[in-house]
Amino acid sequence: MSALSKLKEAYLCLKAGRVTLPYPARPQPVPPRFRGRPIFDANRCIGCAGCANNCPAREILVFDVCQEIRILKYLGRRCTYCGRCADLCPEKAITMSKDFETATPSIADLQQTLELFMSTCQRCGRCFKEPTPLEQLKLKGYRFDDLAHDRWIFRSKAYLEKDQVAGDIDLELD
Ligand code: SF4
Ligand code: SF4
């Protein structure tokens, strides 16, 4: 092989482009419509529980501390970042962020808890008469989830069997 071809080969090697990315040293940009971890905005959320009721991974719990306070908790355990919650949120209170690097030694780093003030007149301080939207959810067999143990709990079997609501029967599905 001639010296010229050696030089040519060396030139081609120097000219070659990078074949690997500098990730994770440098963050990798994501496409514009990328769906990462959902972020909940407590200032926009009206506590309708639509996201919790439609999350296929059961990642969102609801619990009513009293008639006025509703807790909404995102668990961050098995969320698939499907974006269904953000799609159906009537108040656009959920943003699918660019955050996909969620490795952490503590699951609490990923969890979000919203404390929502519900169903009380801001002027007179009185509660609305039943059935409020909150009560309608309960009548559908909706649930008071078990926040302490991070579990879904339906309030009534009627929700599952489509019968008339008979009473409060705790049914653990998780
Ligand atoms: S992105 Fe999908 S899986 Fe995750 S909380 Fe929303 S609806 Fe549930
Ligand atoms: S769907 Fe939106 S407004 Fe309704 S509870 Fe979920 S985050 Fe709040």
Side-chain angles (χ1 to χ4, degrees), residues 133-173:
L134 179 62
E135 287 302 321
Q136 286 169 21
L137 281 172
K138 291 175 190 168
L139 289 172
K140 277 188 207 165
Y142 205 62
R143 64 257 182 166
F144 289 115
D145 290 331
D146 182 353
L147 289 191
H149 299 99
D150 287 352
R151 289 179 306 187
W152 266 37
I153 295 188
F154 279 93
R155 187 172 164 85
S156 163
K157 275 185 180 173
Y159 179 80
L160 303 174
E161 295 169 357
K162 306 207 183 307
D163 295 333
Q164 207 174 353
V165 175
D168 295 348
I169 305 162
D170 281 345
L171 179 63
E172 185 182 320
L173 292 184

Side-chain angles (χ1 to χ4, degrees), residues 20-89:
T20 58
L21 298 171
Y23 181 85
R26 198 181 309 159
Q28 187 61 13
V30 294
R33 298 188 65 195
F34 181 85
R35 294 193 309 253
R37 189 162 69 103
I39 303 293
F40 292 73
D41 183 348
N43 294 321
R44 302 187 78 141
C45 176
I46 55 171
C48 69
C51 55
N53 219 2
N54 288 281
C55 171
R58 296 183 188 170
E59 276 289 85
I60 306 167
L61 305 179
V62 286
F63 183 85
D64 296 332
V65 178
C66 58
Q67 187 170 348
E68 293 87 13
I69 307 284
R70 168 168 284 190
I71 306 285
L72 196 87
K73 183 172 182 183
Y74 169 73
L75 298 177
R77 295 182 305 196
R78 54 189 176 210
C79 178
T80 56
Y81 305 162
C82 66
R84 191 170 178 186
C85 54
D87 263 355
L88 60 79
C89 176

